[in-house]
């Protein structure tokens, strides 16, 4: 029998209240007492609206991922040319701008690192979001090629995958070492990648 939450309003309240907790503490690190304390709801109220803790984690990730995507799309929409869009995406992860992300940072990195061995449905959702991001970036690179802004032999897919891997890796190292230098260095490398595929105007 399909699970039906008692109240969609209460379910949404739990998701929004738990969003920062799961994104900061992770799936394993977030306890039921964390949820009852933050929401001021009983265990019965929480599990009356979710099948289990895995269900809460998945719903919260979807909520955080949607917030991230809204931020990314808003930033890209303000840029006009393909090069500007790629640089805008890169700059979103700078130490000045990354604070705009959901509490706890990039939900893709946070959930992906933990879910690969512990929560298969969550791992699949993170993978979908990563692939969607890569596809969007590859599309921007392809637009740049068609607009003769980027070199014709540019491998759009490879550029997109490399940008995502660089940025996610840079965030991971910077947070693990608590040293933003690593992320700054990676973002500088990402910007150079964009510059390297650009068609240079004749002097």
């Amino acid at each position: 029998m399909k699970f039906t939450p008692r109240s969609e309003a209460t379910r949404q309240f739990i998701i929004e209240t738990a969003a920062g907790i799961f994104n900061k503490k992770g799936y394993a690190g977030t306890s039921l007492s964390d949820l009852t304390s933050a929401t001021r709801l009983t265990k019965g109220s929480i599990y009356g609206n979710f099948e289990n803790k895995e269900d809460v984690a998945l719903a919260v990730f979807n909520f955080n991922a949607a917030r991230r995507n809204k931020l990314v799309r808003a930033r890209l929409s303000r840029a006009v040319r393909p090069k500007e869009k790629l640089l805008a995406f890169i700059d979103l992860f700078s130490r000045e701008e990354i604070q705009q992300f959901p509490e706890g940072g990039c939900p893709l990195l946070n959930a992906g690192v933990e879910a690969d061995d512990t929560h298969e449905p969550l791992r699949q959702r993170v993978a979908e979001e990563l692939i969607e991001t890569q596809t969007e970036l590859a599309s921007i690179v392809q637009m740049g090629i068609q607009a003769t802004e980027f070199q014709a032999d540019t491998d759009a897919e490879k550029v997109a995958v490399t940008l995502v891997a660089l940025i996610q890796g840079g965030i991971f190292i910077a947070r693990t070492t608590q040293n933003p230098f690593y992320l700054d260095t990676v973002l500088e490398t990402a910007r150079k990648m964009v510059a390297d595929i650009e068609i240079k105007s004749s002097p």
Side-chain angles (χ1 to χ4, degrees), residues 16-37:
E16 293 181 13
T17 305
I21 300 172
F22 270 100
N23 204 37
K24 288 172 65 178
K25 300 184 70 172
Y27 163 69
T30 300
S31 65
L32 181 59
S33 62
D34 288 327
L35 301 182
T36 56
S37 176

Side-chain angles (χ1 to χ4, degrees), residues 72-73 75-77 79-90 132-150 154 156-157 159-160 163 194 197:
V72 170
R73 292 189 179 110
R75 191 72 168 80
L76 294 185
S77 69
V80 179
R81 301 192 62 80
K83 176 187 174 182
E84 294 171 352
K85 289 182 180 294
L86 290 184
L87 292 178
F89 178 80
I90 294 167
E132 184 176 327
T133 299
Q134 293 167 8
T135 300
E136 186 169 4
L137 292 178
S139 177
I140 293 172
V141 175
Q142 196 61 47
M143 286 168 50
I145 294 171
Q146 294 170 356
T148 64
E149 187 171 357
F150 296 144
T154 299
E157 188 70 25
V159 170
L163 283 176
V194 176
I197 65 173

Side-chain angles (χ1 to χ4, degrees), residues 96-109:
E96 294 81 16
E97 294 198 42
I98 202 170
Q99 305 303 323
Q100 302 174 71
F101 277 80
E103 183 183 3
C106 180
L108 274 61
L109 176 66

